[in-house]
Amino acid sequence: MIAFRGAERRVFWAAGLAVLILGGCDLVTQPAGNADTFIAAAEKELAELSEAASHAEWVRATYINYDTNWLSTEANERYLQRTAALAKEAAGYADSAGVSPETARKLELLRRQLTLAPPSRDGAAAELSKIGTELDEKYSAAKFTVAGKQLRLDDASQEMKVSRDPKRLQALWEGWHSISPPMREQYAKMVGIANEGARELGYADTGAMWRSKYDMPADDFAKKTDALWEQVRPLYTELHCYVRAKLSERYGADVQPETGSIRADLLGNMWAQQWDGIYDIVAPRGLPGPGYDLTRNLVAQKYTPERMVRTGEGFFTSLGFAPLPQTFWERSMITRPRDREVVCHASAWNVDNVDDLRIKMCTLVNDEDFQTIHHELGHSFYQRAYNKQPFLFREGANDGFHEAIGDMQQLSITPDYLKKIGLISAAPPPSADIALLLQRAMDKVAFLPFGLLVDKWRWQVFSGQVSPAQYNEAWWRLRQQYQGIAPPGPRPADAFDPGAKYHVPGNTPYMRYFLAHVYQFQLYRAACRQMGWQGPLHRCSFYGDKGVGEKFNAMLQLGASKPWPDALQAFTGSRDIDASAIADYFAPLQVWLRDQNRGRECGW
């Protein structure tokens, strides 16, 4: 599938902004005078194709069947073929003298449109689109059986948060991971086709194309992500050490050894990417807890999924943003329909690239989905903020930036915010800060290495460093290296565990989420400084501060019209992504963790 420019999660083929530097192709440099005419025509055509494809994909995602898959595939193929052709044509203007800065930026962005580039040979675009649709359908409609009962992913995910039976957890984990082996052959075929297209465009492989989309050379980007990881690795190592010890205490060393890697199925999340589901196991002894259970409060106050979304909208209107349009409420899918198959993966859409804003969620009334709603609406308000830009500028400053906008709102879901909106009666005392920080670290810090390794695995796959026969071995090698995570038992010879993570068969570049987890703290710290916050960073909420909202909106309105360092500087004053705000936020927790881990053998 392709990226419809309104579909936030970019689970579509033209999703990324990978620079298409065309080398070795028979391109003819075009005179600068024609560039403006070319761009105007390209923007008009892509806007029309994008809207048509977005409608087709929305119907497919919310009503999966043979016909909607067919319609979506056809629309995707048309968009993909034209995007590829226009990207190649745009490269002909790259060296033209006299092109205006705005047109030059649009040419650059047009060259960056593809995530997977179809080769020019006949039938390649159709084959790529067909494989993409089939992989997405296999994932989205997947079911598996445990103890005679058929389960979906969302059923298993909910149970993994609450079950404390290691045998049951292993069965759920292995059951879900049994759905992906049939994907491996198609995935490998897709890699070969996409690499063929990337080479036509002057790249060594698709991974190099992906790394070239961040306004810096591909190799420099890889080095930057490694440097960011080194800034946060010490904090993660302390968290891993503490959590591993608590799991060993709970289950015994036969289930979870006191040293080495943590079993992937014991962390309350199907992919062990966030660990807050097992907070009850690791809660600090002798210290007051957060003092509230948000899920319980939401249920007790009779919150519905729609009321949760309206509460999220209220966060943004408190900053001075206009309410969402009425069509948002009429056209969104807020809960799972019970009469058909749908794609439950949460996403935010702007179907017409103007104001047809929607979200798609199978919302449950709980803490996690309350947080997710604030995240998704961050995308929605970002999409609307830049909707007056020319079509090619109706994007985030980069894909990680788009994710971070939603995530920084989540950081502002503090006890003070929850008290102001009536979800708790009193904010916990300062003595509860360690519990609050640990709970958040189990979500945010635990995610960092997973956010990094998914694309590191794909870069190796695309480069040929890892063959299809080695897919699973390489996956677990990286998970052990970065996360210190191991599977609960031996994996079958045909296992394709990467395929059990939506973004792999969905072909969504994942480094954006790692970057977002860095950007969000940097943006959040800047917002708190702007409002003059003097207390501990983790207790700051900018809810209701219209001064922050005004400056925030000014940054959002830039869209992709400027390189991401310009957008970052507009709000934070800095042009460089920096993970030091994570250290600032969790500083009290890191000191506490070091004390708790004294005498333990940390690392894996």
Side-chain angles (χ1 to χ4, degrees):
M1 291 174 298
I2 58 169
F4 311 121
R5 300 177 61 85
E8 165 267 313
R9 285 295 185 187
R10 306 303 190 205
V11 294
F12 315 118
W13 289 112
L17 300 179
V19 183
L20 306 182
I21 302 172
L22 307 183
C25 302
D26 295 326
L27 298 171
V28 179
T29 300
Q30 301 292 329
N34 295 336
D36 291 338
T37 302
F38 164 71
I39 282 293
E43 286 193 294
K44 184 176 185 297
E45 181 179 9
L46 287 178
E48 293 172 354
L49 288 172
S50 171
E51 183 174 0
S54 290
H55 281 290
E57 176 55 24
W58 175 267
V59 173
R60 189 203 71 85
T62 59
Y63 207 122
I64 300 174
N65 61 34
Y66 171 83
D67 294 302
T68 59
N69 282 335
W70 189 93
L71 292 168
S72 177
T73 298
E74 288 295 302
N76 295 345
E77 183 182 343
R78 288 193 296 272
Y79 191 100
L80 182 59
Q81 287 177 325
R82 286 305 297 149
T83 300
L86 291 168
K88 293 177 182 179
E89 191 172 349
Y93 295 92
D95 298 324
S96 300
V99 174
S100 69
E102 180 174 312
T103 297
R105 176 72 175 165
K106 289 181 179 180
L107 289 167
E108 179 185 352
L109 292 175
L110 183 51
R111 292 196 301 269
R112 294 179 175 188
Q113 286 300 295
L114 298 173
T115 293
L116 299 183
S120 56
R121 60 180 171 82
D122 289 346
E127 188 173 14
L128 206 54
S129 181
K130 183 174 184 290
I131 292 174
T133 298
E134 290 175 355
L135 284 173
D136 187 78
E137 182 182 8
K138 283 180 179 178
Y139 186 99
S140 299
K143 301 173 185 175
F144 61 97
T145 301
V146 175
K149 182 179 180 182
Q150 194 173 70
L151 299 172
R152 300 173 185 269
L153 174 60
D154 48 350
D155 300 321
S157 294
Q158 285 300 115
E159 187 174 350
M160 289 188 77
K161 293 177 184 177
V162 298
S163 175
R164 299 297 178 253
D165 177 355
K167 291 183 179 179
R168 177 66 177 178
L169 290 169
Q170 183 171 354
L172 292 169
W173 189 94
E174 291 178 346
W176 174 248
H177 285 76
S178 71
I179 64 99
S180 52
M183 301 178 189
R184 187 173 70 172
E185 184 177 346
Q186 281 181 304
Y187 188 82
K189 187 174 184 180
M190 181 209 68
V191 168
I193 297 171
N195 275 343
E196 184 184 347
R199 286 191 290 270
E200 284 187 10
L201 299 172
Y203 289 100
D205 57 71
T206 301
M209 190 173 81
W210 285 14
R211 294 191 298 276
S212 297
K213 67 181 181 177
Y214 292 100
D215 296 310
M216 64 176 70
D219 289 345
D220 289 353
F221 176 69
K223 292 175 183 176
K224 186 65 177 176
T225 58
D226 287 339
L228 291 168
W229 168 240
E230 287 304 311
Q231 282 186 278
V232 298
R233 184 172 58 83
L235 174 59
Y236 177 81
T237 300
E238 295 288 350
L239 180 66
H240 179 283
C241 190
Y242 174 79
V243 170
R244 182 182 60 196
K246 291 295 184 181
L247 288 170
S248 187
E249 288 177 14
R250 175 62 180 259
Y251 295 115
D254 290 344
V255 173
Q256 175 56 62
E258 296 178 356
T259 60
S261 297
I262 299 175
R263 254 179 58 166
D265 58 330
L266 300 180
L267 289 161
N269 176 273
M270 188 62 77
W271 308 278
Q273 67 181 58
Q274 288 144 321
W275 306 346
D276 49 323
I278 61 160
Y279 178 76
D280 61 300
I281 295 176
V282 306
R285 295 174 183 169
L287 291 175
Y292 62 89
D293 182 328
L294 184 54
T295 296
R296 184 179 300 169
N297 291 0
L298 288 165
V299 172
Q301 295 191 29
K302 296 181 169 41
Y303 267 71
T304 62
E306 180 175 329
R307 185 180 173 191
M308 288 167 64
V309 178
R310 290 191 182 277
T311 301
E313 178 191 40
F315 185 97
F316 290 90
T317 57
S318 82
L319 300 176
F321 290 86
L324 294 164
Q326 179 59 31
T327 53
F328 173 89
W329 304 103
E330 296 168 353
R331 299 170 185 173
S332 289
M333 187 190 87
I334 295 175
T335 58
R336 175 195 275 278
R338 294 300 175 185
D339 61 342
R340 60 187 187 268
E341 298 290 348
V342 299
V343 178
C344 268
H345 189 82
S347 54
W349 302 54
N350 189 351
V351 175
D352 66 354
N353 305 296
V354 183
D355 57 11
D356 190 354
L357 304 166
R358 310 179 190 184
I359 61 168
K360 176 183 61 59
M361 285 182 64
C362 296
T363 312
L364 300 173
V365 178
N366 60 32
D367 186 345
E368 180 179 1
D369 282 8
F370 186 78
Q371 304 262 352
T372 299
I373 283 165
H374 285 70
H375 171 92
E376 298 304 337
L377 293 185
H379 291 294
S380 297
F381 282 92
Y382 197 0
Q383 289 163 342
R384 187 172 63 181
Y386 56 60
N387 70 4
K388 291 182 174 57
Q389 291 281 359
F391 179 77
L392 285 169
F393 292 161
R394 292 178 196 172
E395 291 279 4
N398 65 38
D399 55 3
F401 217 86
H402 221 305
E403 295 298 326
I405 297 307
D407 286 342
M408 71 177 287
Q409 321 307 321
Q410 291 180 324
L411 293 176
S412 206
I413 301 177
T414 63
D416 181 61
Y417 166 61
L418 296 175
K419 183 175 181 294
K420 286 179 178 177
I421 63 174
L423 270 170
I424 61 176
S425 58
S431 57
D433 280 6
I434 292 301
L436 289 164
L437 285 170
L438 179 59
Q439 200 166 32
R440 180 141 276 172
M442 299 280 283
D443 175 13
K444 301 290 187 179
V445 177
F447 177 82
L448 289 164
F450 186 80
L452 185 69
L453 70 86
V454 174
D455 276 357
K456 281 187 172 289
W457 177 81
R458 283 193 283 202
W459 295 348
Q460 293 179 4
V461 167
F462 286 131
S463 72
Q465 180 182 342
V466 170
S467 69
Q470 300 168 323
Y471 279 174
N472 220 53
E473 178 187 355
W475 174 254
W476 285 106
R477 184 167 56 247
L478 287 170
R479 296 203 67 182
Q480 197 279 333
Q481 176 185 347
Y482 286 97
Q483 281 188 290
I485 299 296
R491 302 302 298 132
D494 67 342
F496 180 47
D497 294 334
K501 177 61 182 173
Y502 179 78
H503 300 73
V504 173
N507 290 291
T508 307
Y510 209 74
M511 195 60 72
R512 65 186 64 181
Y513 302 109
F514 174 76
L515 296 176
H517 273 64
V518 178
Y519 281 133
Q520 65 182 267
F521 284 93
Q522 192 172 359
L523 293 167
Y524 169 78
R525 182 175 63 181
C528 293
R529 287 174 173 174
Q530 289 166 28
M531 64 181 287
W533 179 255
Q534 298 296 316
L537 182 57
H538 60 274
R539 282 191 165 251
C540 167
S541 177
F542 50 86
Y543 172 75
D545 193 303
K546 289 184 169 53
V548 169
E550 183 178 357
K551 191 169 184 180
F552 186 46
N553 190 49
M555 175 185 67
L556 301 185
Q557 287 176 336
L558 292 174
S561 65
K562 303 289 183 183
W564 67 262
D566 292 352
L568 186 66
Q569 184 179 34
F571 191 69
T572 69
S574 172
R575 295 183 59 80
D576 192 23
I577 183 172
D578 172 28
S580 66
I582 298 177
D584 288 351
Y585 186 95
F586 290 106
L589 177 66
Q590 187 161 6
V591 171
W592 183 83
L593 286 171
R594 285 173 183 159
D595 183 61
Q596 299 300 304
N597 290 331
R598 191 172 291 116
R600 292 173 179 157
E601 183 181 330
C602 295
W604 47 86

